[in-house]
Amino acid sequence: MNFSRVNLFDFPLRPILLSHPSSIFVSTRFVTRTSAGVSPSILLPRSTQSPQIIAKSSSVSVQPVSEDAKEDYQSKDVSGDSIRRRFLEFFASRGHKVLPSSSLVPEDPTVLLTIAGMLQFKPIFLGKVPREVPCATTAQRCIRTNDLENVGKTARHHTFFEMLGNFSFGDYFKKEAIKWAWELSTIEFRLPANRVWVSIYEDDDEAFEIWKNEVGVSVERIKRMGEADNFWTSGPTGPCGPCSELYYDFYPERGYDEDVDLGDDTRFIEFYNLVFMQYNKTEDGLLEPLKQKNIDTGLGLERIAQILQKVPNNYETDLIYPIIAKISELANISYDSANDKAKTSLKVIADHMRAVVYLISDGVSPSNIGRGYVVRRLIRRAVRKGKSLGINGDMNGNLKGAFLPAVAEKVIELSTYIDSDVKLKASRIIEEIRQEELHFKKTLERGEKLLDQKLNDALSIADKTKDTPYLDGKDAFLLYDTFGFPVEITAEVAEERGVSIDMNGFEVEMENQRRQSQAAHNVVKLTVEDDADMTKNIADTEFLGYDSLSARAVVKSLLVNGKPVIRVSEGSEVEVLQDRTPFYAESGGQIADHGFLYVSSDGNQEKAVVEVSDVQKSLKIFVHKGTVKSGALEVGKEVEAAVDADLRQRAKVHHTATHLLQSALKKVVGQETSQAGSLVAFDRLRFDFNFNRSLHDNELEEIECLINRWIGDATRLETKVLPLADAKRAGAIAMFGEKYDENEVRVVEVPGVSMELCGGTHVGNTAEIRAFKIISEQGIASGIRRIEAVAGEAFIEYINSRDSQMTRLCSTLKVKAEDVTNRVENLLEELRAARKEASDLRSKAAVYKASVISNKAFTVGTSQTIRVLVESMDDTDADSLKSAAEHLISTLEDPVAVVLGSSPEKDKVSLVAAFSPGVVSLGVQAGKFIGPIAKLCGGGGGGKPNFAQAGGRKPENLPSALEKAREDLVATLFEKLG
């Protein structure tokens, strides 16, 4: 898209670097800055009317805007932060609940990343959960990577962007959505009415009538479009409906002909999309009206900012341009005078670093799988683009340093009103980016040299064969597997040289090793709940487990293999749904309670016992999974539900200990440390956290001491239920993986130590934990560490087990416990000495064998001769085989070529090739020669020109492989000797 001639509202402006969080006021002649910041929280006046009344009363106030209306920006702040705030305030004043952006890591397993504003409301749209508010508005952080190749090249494509949205859950519908969209655009944002076009679905006459007659848009600016453009579907079946989109016209002077194409990026930009979710698509393709009609909208913040700030593209808005300016400073270039290629690189780095910073903040670390692969791929693309701009090192004199952390600092500086948590995690975010950049740079230079060589080879071959140049899939895989080059980067570099990639060959090579997750889905899949869903008529389960470990309950439903039944008998695996339960269902990292359901013999009621081994939650319905140990169980019968008290106590101890562990980690290694996962089990606890190095021994000791001191303080825990906002203001920390009710959350506090939002079970006093011990600390992914620990009864079992092992060790070694370490070290030293002695003996034996077989060497050539020896040395081990080859090279006259093979163990082959300088000078290399021979034995290998080792798994092929080596070596030497 080329906006070099864009003349927005007849007042051309140049983009300027804006300090954050200063506001932008656009007048008819210039851009000025003001020190007035945007409030970090949206303070909205409370109306005495209910949201529903507000929505209805506001809808009738929307009036068509004059066609010749012109924009007056003299008193309107159009900074990105202000636009976001004004949007949310606009809909809040119309009865919408302002809700926070959800994480970029969605709960929905069908998508890799949060790709749309509606994703957090999917369960409501599906009818899986009841709506908590009739309508809502959000500013949602989103990530999309499906158009990665267009980032920086067009005016509007991004990986990270913000989607402003208003949503109705069966409240208002098409009429209000359209009128408010128009009012927002032309009155709140003051877009000239004659510059706003709308598209509708070709058969949506209702939308046409609203736009034309009630809003007042002229017919020539309403375009009917087909299903591909203006009918939204969630998949082959499920909720769907027509769309209506708003486009901004940069060149209204081009007229209103019927053939005007709204897809013309040089004239139009789509900035607001309205989805009218009114149908359910059946498997037969029929469209059935939905009982609850919903509204899902999305307005791109970066796009509307481009329009309001009068700049040529999204990148030159105050949301992104300060980042570009920082990169330009690092590259020592001017953005305004840079060529198109350099500008694209600047935009790509700025875009990718926005995505990387917010992804890492939301707990995603660089890796080779799933979301982590997205982060790694974006960082590596940014590094390459930086290299193309001439950025070396950190641009502060350290040529081996990283430059992306400086860019990340600017992104973090601009994050205040996007996600206030980012600044709290700044040090961790910057360190992870630094490490990933430096790690990639280590292999980048070598990989680029290899890639350059392979591309030159491909171009050379194509020049000879007159075919299209392509890079072999095996080479692309080598770059990925050895040098860490994402295949997409290899493809980009190859495309720049006019070379395509054999992707089929690459996928074949990846098949056995691939860990890369599929790219993020860009369709949110919805399906309407089956009316036959057996949980539809089951009321929520009342949970009694905080106060009681047993309760009388009525069986509401029984499931066997997922199907409802009326009765189950002894031996059956069953799922039991009750009206109430003391059993804790697995959630928040804590495993479910175990226990029993008892049916007493009373009158006609048969006695029964069901052992419960797991409890899961479906919405607020508890599903007890177990086995009928005796008797029979029927729907409608009363049971005595009893939780195993000992196991519950173990879980409580480990859960509270997990809270103490998180507090101790923050005190010892830093407040920016955050939870990345957890397991609260009966026998141990596991805590995953974001940190970029292993913990030192003294740090682990300090953490243990802190926790055991808190345990010894015998502090009573306090539990209370508060509105979410109040809990956060009080300083409560949210636990990983939990979703919280806005109106009511449970806060668990160890006064003076820890305060967390948590629905799990906990001890009443820290003294109940008794003791705490870390049993391991290790890395499980880039930037993610894991601590495993035991407490309470599990601690005692762990210590007793260790004591028993030590007692046996002392008995075996015949020493006291305090002398075990020295005794073991002495034994290891004796073992090392014995092994060396045995190795020396084997080497001497191998050298002796080599001396014996040296007389089998033969000569190749006439005027110049080379001695050749290719033999098997039976079961000689690899090290001894190497010693034998070195001995032969030193004792036989140069030039000489030696190839030896052996089978030291079952299913194992060892090979060695040693070539003297005279042979190497002919261009015959041991490393290249031995590889194909090893393949015959089911293996591989290589090495230097003068010496190489290889292995295999097929000893039965060794004789034929050595024969092949003899033939090939002789033929090669004859050829070289001429």
Side-chain angles (χ1 to χ4, degrees):
M1 189 184 298
N2 181 6
F3 282 97
S4 60
R5 293 175 54 248
V6 171
N7 184 10
L8 303 187
F9 319 135
D10 302 321
F11 301 116
L13 297 169
R14 292 293 307 133
I16 63 169
L17 176 59
L18 303 165
S19 63
H20 187 79
S22 60
S23 310
I24 311 172
F25 285 86
V26 182
S27 73
T28 58
R29 289 293 177 191
F30 55 91
V31 176
T32 61
R33 283 180 290 167
T34 172
S35 61
V38 181
S39 172
S41 60
I42 300 170
L43 301 177
L44 302 174
R46 292 184 179 272
S47 171
T48 55
Q49 294 176 299
S50 70
Q52 187 73 6
I53 294 173
I54 294 173
K56 291 180 179 178
S57 63
S58 299
S59 66
V60 297
S61 66
V62 180
Q63 298 297 325
V65 177
S66 170
E67 289 291 325
D68 59 357
K70 286 294 181 178
E71 190 164 6
D72 174 13
Y73 280 136
Q74 293 181 357
S75 62
K76 280 293 183 179
D77 180 359
V78 293
S79 67
D81 289 332
S82 176
I83 294 169
R84 184 190 306 108
R85 173 179 54 78
R86 289 165 62 189
F87 178 94
L88 297 175
E89 286 179 344
F90 179 90
F91 284 103
S93 69
R94 286 153 179 80
H96 292 63
K97 172 74 171 178
V98 179
L99 296 178
S101 170
S102 61
S103 169
L104 289 172
V105 180
E107 294 183 357
D108 187 336
T110 68
V111 287
L112 193 65
L113 296 165
T114 297
I115 57 173
M118 61 80 67
L119 193 60
Q120 66 170 302
F121 304 117
K122 175 178 170 181
I124 300 174
F125 288 138
L126 288 177
K128 288 185 174 180
V129 298
R131 69 180 192 183
E132 295 185 2
V133 293
C135 45
T137 183
T138 64
Q140 175 64 52
R141 305 186 303 277
C142 299
I143 294 279
R144 291 184 188 175
T145 58
N146 57 318
D147 289 324
L148 199 60
E149 68 280 358
N150 291 324
V151 170
K153 296 179 181 178
T154 72
R156 59 184 178 81
H157 281 95
H158 302 287
T159 54
F160 175 87
F161 59 96
E162 287 186 81
M163 188 64 76
L164 309 179
N166 55 287
F167 307 90
S168 169
F169 315 117
D171 186 41
Y172 65 86
F173 194 53
K174 195 174 297 185
K175 183 176 181 179
E176 292 84 355
I178 289 174
K179 287 186 174 184
W180 285 337
W182 184 257
E183 184 180 349
L184 176 76
S185 302
T186 62
I187 297 179
E188 175 62 35
F189 291 144
R190 303 188 182 186
L191 299 183
N194 65 331
R195 288 179 179 264
V196 180
W197 293 56
V198 297
S199 68
I200 61 172
Y201 178 53
E202 56 191 355
D203 294 335
D204 193 355
D205 295 331
E206 180 186 5
F208 179 82
E209 290 298 323
I210 296 171
W211 281 117
K212 174 179 176 291
N213 297 325
E214 301 198 38
V215 174
V217 178
S218 58
V219 174
E220 62 266 23
R221 295 204 321 280
I222 304 174
K223 289 289 182 181
R224 292 181 182 266
M225 301 177 74
E227 184 173 346
D229 296 302
N230 275 66
F231 195 89
W232 179 84
T233 61
S234 60
T237 61
C240 58
C243 305
S244 187
E245 296 162 334
L246 281 70
Y247 293 78
Y248 186 79
D249 185 359
F250 293 108
Y251 296 103
E253 65 272 16
R254 292 183 183 177
Y256 305 96
D257 297 338
E258 290 187 5
D259 59 351
V260 168
D261 179 14
L262 293 180
D264 179 2
D265 283 349
T266 66
R267 177 175 177 180
F268 298 101
I269 184 171
E270 176 201 338
F271 66 92
Y272 206 171
N273 183 24
L274 317 177
V275 177
F276 311 124
M277 207 179 297
Q278 63 189 86
Y279 299 115
N280 174 47
K281 191 173 185 179
T282 67
E283 292 183 357
D284 298 329
L286 299 176
L287 298 180
E288 301 174 341
L290 287 172
K291 295 177 182 177
Q292 176 178 296
K293 296 180 180 180
N294 303 310
I295 290 292
D296 162 26
T297 77
L299 183 148
L301 176 59
E302 291 78 8
R303 297 189 184 195
I304 191 66
Q306 177 200 338
I307 297 170
L308 295 179
Q309 294 177 19
K310 303 180 182 180
V311 291
N313 54 67
N314 296 358
Y315 292 92
E316 295 183 34
T317 66
D318 72 322
L319 294 164
I320 305 174
Y321 190 73
I323 307 169
I324 291 176
K326 180 63 180 180
I327 303 165
S328 300
E329 177 189 326
L330 293 171
N332 197 26
I333 61 175
S334 165
Y335 175 80
D336 288 341
S337 59
N339 59 35
D340 288 344
K341 183 177 180 181
K343 282 186 176 179
T344 297
S345 294
L346 290 167
K347 292 173 183 176
V348 168
I349 298 171
D351 169 88
H352 287 8
M353 289 313 296
R354 291 179 88 207
V356 166
V357 164
Y358 288 99
L359 280 168
I360 294 177
S361 176
D362 280 350
V364 182
S365 294
S367 71
N368 282 337
I369 58 172
R371 302 178 184 99
Y373 182 71
V374 173
V375 175
R376 173 159 289 170
R377 179 182 174 190
L378 294 178
I379 290 176
R380 294 187 171 188
R381 287 189 92 231
V383 171
R384 280 200 65 253
K385 295 298 182 183
K387 193 168 186 285
S388 73
L389 291 171
I391 299 177
N392 294 314
D394 61 6
M395 300 306 289
N396 286 321
N398 182 4
L399 295 179
K400 293 185 179 181
F403 80 95
L404 290 181
V407 183
E409 287 176 357
K410 177 58 67 173
V411 177
I412 293 168
E413 180 185 325
L414 298 172
S415 70
T416 302
Y417 308 120
I418 302 172
D419 181 3
S420 59
D421 287 343
V422 171
K423 289 188 176 180
L424 300 177
K425 305 171 185 176
S427 59
R428 176 175 63 82
I429 294 169
I430 289 170
E431 187 56 33
E432 287 206 27
I433 291 171
R434 187 194 317 280
Q435 288 195 0
E436 183 65 18
E437 179 180 351
L438 294 178
H439 175 71
F440 182 48
K441 280 182 173 178
K442 288 180 182 178
T443 57
L444 181 60
E445 186 175 348
R446 287 187 297 144
E448 284 186 332
K449 286 180 180 178
L450 177 61
L451 177 56
D452 187 61
Q453 174 191 327
K454 295 295 183 182
L455 293 177
N456 287 336
D457 291 345
L459 290 167
S460 176
I461 293 171
D463 187 55
K464 294 177 182 177
T465 62
K466 306 302 180 186
D467 291 331
T468 302
Y470 78 95
L471 183 69
D472 190 274
K474 292 183 178 179
D475 293 329
F477 176 75
L478 174 66
L479 286 160
Y480 169 83
D481 192 48
T482 304
F483 297 99
F485 267 50
V487 70
E488 298 84 3
I489 288 182
T490 301
E492 284 182 18
V493 179
E495 183 182 1
E496 292 169 2
R497 299 279 299 275
V499 179
S500 61
I501 292 185
D502 170 23
M503 288 305 300
N504 289 334
F506 174 80
E507 291 296 342
V508 168
E509 295 295 323
M510 282 287 290
E511 193 61 34
N512 293 329
Q513 295 189 45
R514 182 186 318 211
R515 293 191 163 282
Q516 176 186 345
S517 153
Q518 293 182 346
H521 301 300
N522 285 284
V523 175
V524 181
K525 296 182 179 179
L526 303 179
T527 54
V528 174
E529 290 293 283
D530 185 351
D531 287 337
D533 183 356
M534 52 71 56
T535 64
K536 219 169 183 61
N537 297 317
I538 301 294
D540 293 347
T541 309
E542 181 185 1
F543 178 59
L544 309 171
Y546 292 137
D547 303 313
S548 176
L549 294 182
S550 64
R552 304 293 295 177
V554 175
V555 176
K556 292 297 184 180
S557 181
L558 298 172
L559 297 173
V560 174
N561 297 324
K563 298 185 180 301
V565 297
I566 300 298
R567 186 177 188 273
V568 289
S569 55
E570 185 174 330
S572 298
E573 300 289 332
V574 64
E575 296 177 347
V576 185
L577 281 63
Q578 303 168 181
D579 62 340
R580 56 213 302 261
T581 185
F583 282 83
Y584 181 83
E586 180 180 343
S587 63
Q590 180 177 333
I591 66 173
D593 281 330
H594 291 191
F596 292 89
L597 303 179
Y598 298 102
V599 178
S600 59
S601 178
D602 182 17
N604 296 325
Q605 183 166 291
E606 184 177 356
K607 185 177 180 180
V609 177
V610 178
E611 183 175 5
V612 177
S613 56
D614 189 20
V615 184
Q616 297 292 324
K617 266 195 297 190
S618 176
L619 302 181
K620 295 182 179 180
I621 298 173
F622 286 55
V623 181
H624 306 72
K625 301 182 178 183
T627 305
V628 182
K629 290 298 184 179
S630 63
L633 184 63
E634 295 181 10
V635 173
K637 296 298 184 182
E638 189 176 64
V639 297
E640 177 72 21
V643 173
D644 186 314
D646 290 338
L647 295 182
R648 165 68 78 85
Q649 181 65 17
R650 285 170 173 259
K652 288 163 60 177
V653 162
H654 281 141
H655 206 148
T656 305
T658 301
H659 286 210
L660 299 182
L661 174 58
Q662 176 158 233
S663 292
L665 277 166
K666 288 181 177 292
K667 283 184 177 292
V668 174
V669 302
Q671 287 296 321
E672 72 277 8
T673 301
S674 60
Q675 184 176 343
S678 68
L679 171 69
V680 175
F682 304 134
D683 60 339
R684 72 192 189 285
L685 68 88
R686 187 177 71 210
F687 188 82
D688 300 340
F689 59 101
N690 296 291
F691 204 56
N692 48 46
R693 62 168 174 81
S694 61
L695 297 187
H696 304 311
D697 289 345
N698 64 310
E699 290 174 323
L700 293 171
E701 289 176 10
E702 186 177 354
I703 289 168
E704 279 188 350
C705 287
L706 262 177
I707 295 172
N708 282 308
R709 191 182 78 205
W710 291 333
I711 293 169
D713 288 341
T715 304
R716 289 192 61 81
L717 273 70
E718 297 179 3
T719 303
K720 47 195 164 189
V721 176
L722 300 171
L724 179 60
D726 291 350
K728 287 185 174 179
R729 275 195 294 271
I733 299 173
M735 294 293 284
F736 179 85
E738 284 290 283
K739 187 171 182 179
Y740 300 101
D741 189 308
E742 288 283 327
N743 301 315
E744 187 177 279
V745 292
R746 186 169 180 263
V747 178
V748 177
E749 181 179 9
V750 181
V753 177
S754 165
M755 181 190 294
E756 300 191 14
L757 306 181
C758 184
T761 62
H762 289 270
V763 298
N765 189 300
T766 58
E768 293 179 42
I769 301 174
R770 300 163 76 182
F772 175 91
K773 176 69 180 174
I774 294 173
I775 58 177
S776 70
E777 190 275 337
Q778 61 183 331
I780 58 170
S782 176
I784 305 291
R785 309 295 300 178
R786 170 173 291 173
I787 285 178
E788 291 202 2
V790 289
E793 196 67 27
F795 167 86
I796 294 173
E797 291 171 351
Y798 175 80
I799 295 300
N800 287 341
S801 173
R802 284 299 182 93
D803 183 65
S804 175
Q805 292 169 14
M806 178 61 74
T807 299
R808 290 198 297 272
L809 196 57
C810 291
S811 175
T812 301
L813 298 176
K814 302 191 183 316
V815 294
K816 296 178 180 179
E818 56 268 28
D819 297 326
V820 165
T821 301
N822 288 336
R823 180 62 177 138
V824 170
E825 287 176 350
N826 291 336
L827 287 173
L828 286 174
E829 185 58 38
E830 291 172 10
L831 180 60
R832 280 190 289 269
R835 284 177 173 172
K836 186 178 183 305
E837 183 179 352
S839 178
D840 291 344
L841 290 173
R842 286 194 296 270
S843 293
K844 289 178 181 179
V847 168
Y848 175 76
K849 287 183 182 179
S851 301
V852 172
I853 64 172
S854 63
N855 59 8
K856 295 185 180 181
F858 58 92
T859 59
V860 174
T862 52
S863 59
Q864 180 183 356
T865 60
I866 298 174
R867 305 193 74 180
V868 176
L869 179 63
V870 181
E871 289 294 332
S872 171
M873 292 190 66
D874 305 323
D875 59 354
T876 302
D877 65 90
D879 288 339
S880 300
L881 199 67
K882 176 187 175 187
S883 299
E886 290 171 341
H887 172 76
L888 289 167
I889 287 293
S890 65
T891 55
L892 296 174
E893 294 182 6
D894 184 23
V896 59
V898 175
V899 177
L900 302 176
S902 66
S903 177
E905 300 174 21
K906 181 182 179 182
D907 298 330
K908 187 174 183 179
V909 172
S910 292
L911 292 164
V912 64
F915 296 168
S916 69
V919 174
V920 175
S921 66
L922 296 174
V924 184
Q925 297 186 9
K928 292 184 177 180
F929 180 81
I930 201 66
I933 304 304
K935 284 186 178 180
L936 299 175
C937 296
K944 299 178 181 179
N946 66 316
F947 194 89
Q949 287 181 285
R953 301 182 304 277
K954 298 179 179 179
E956 64 273 16
N957 293 352
L958 180 60
S960 59
L962 290 174
E963 185 59 36
K964 175 67 173 172
R966 187 179 290 107
E967 294 172 1
D968 289 355
L969 190 55
V970 169
T972 300
L973 292 175
F974 267 122
E975 180 184 347
K976 296 294 183 180
L977 292 171

